Amino acid sequence: MTALDAPTSGSVRFEGRDLHALPADALRRARAGFQMVFQDPFGSLDPRQTVARIVGEPLEAQTRATAAERRERAGEMLDAVGLRTADLDKYPHEFSGGQRQRIAIARALVTRPRLIVADEPVSALDVSVQAQVLNLMQDLQDRFGLSYLFISHDLAVVDLVCDDVIVLYQGRVVEGGPADRLFREPEHDYTRRLLAAAAGAGPRQQDRC
């Protein structure tokens, strides 16, 4: 989705533009509108860089903001995800897994994107921390007017946060639609098997994705 790899078929479009048909400069500018949160908060942050550098780096690539302006925006994003501006000069190893994922979310937010692709963003976290991060992402969606493309194998998480769902089987879409309908009346056998495996996940609490 984020044009990191070329598709073997089809196209990837964002706001009507085929990302893989864009010249390199245009693609770099387009990336300000979509950012990514990776699965592993321990591997996705450079341990040699400070939080200020990590969070502000997309601004350096996308804008002409000065170092002071990048630091100020990074501090604002840390505040938005529930961390302190005093954390700017720390390094990733000084934070817990949940805090590291908050830093990753702050980095994704710093260019004020319209879309965040979240690839299993809570699967590496403890269950209690998962809930905190998911609640944070929902709050940020309201605050910044974001859309999420949320990728997950955990149907309890999908059931909690998503409005619309597509189900992939062997790399192909086999079913899709509003989450309420899909979780209540699955049509494809693979979807039914997934739901049976997650039968203990509990009822839906809130719809957002």
Side-chain angles (χ1 to χ4, degrees), residues 25 38 48 82 136 140 170 197:
D25 285 348
F38 295 93
R48 299 165 299 180
L136 169 67
L140 293 171
Q170 296 184 341

Side-chain angles (χ1 to χ4, degrees), residues 85-164:
T85 56
D87 294 325
L88 284 169
D89 295 314
K90 294 181 180 179
Y91 289 84
H93 72 270
E94 299 180 69
F95 298 90
S96 68
Q99 289 173 326
R100 292 187 196 191
Q101 199 64 308
R102 288 173 185 261
I103 293 168
I105 293 170
R107 176 178 59 187
L109 285 171
V110 77
T111 62
R112 301 290 174 87
R114 276 86 70 195
L115 171 70
I116 288 181
V117 179
D119 182 9
E120 298 276 10
V122 297
S123 64
L125 306 176
D126 292 340
V127 173
S128 60
V129 179
Q130 287 183 10
Q132 295 172 14
V133 172
L134 290 172
N135 288 335
L136 169 67
M137 293 180 71
Q138 291 177 328
D139 291 342
L140 293 171
Q141 183 179 39
D142 288 340
R143 179 174 174 180
F144 293 103
L146 295 167
S147 294
Y148 292 122
L149 176 57
F150 200 98
I151 303 165
S152 180
H153 291 86
D154 188 335
L155 292 192
V157 170
V158 172
D159 193 20
L160 173 66
V161 303
C162 292
D163 291 327
D164 295 285

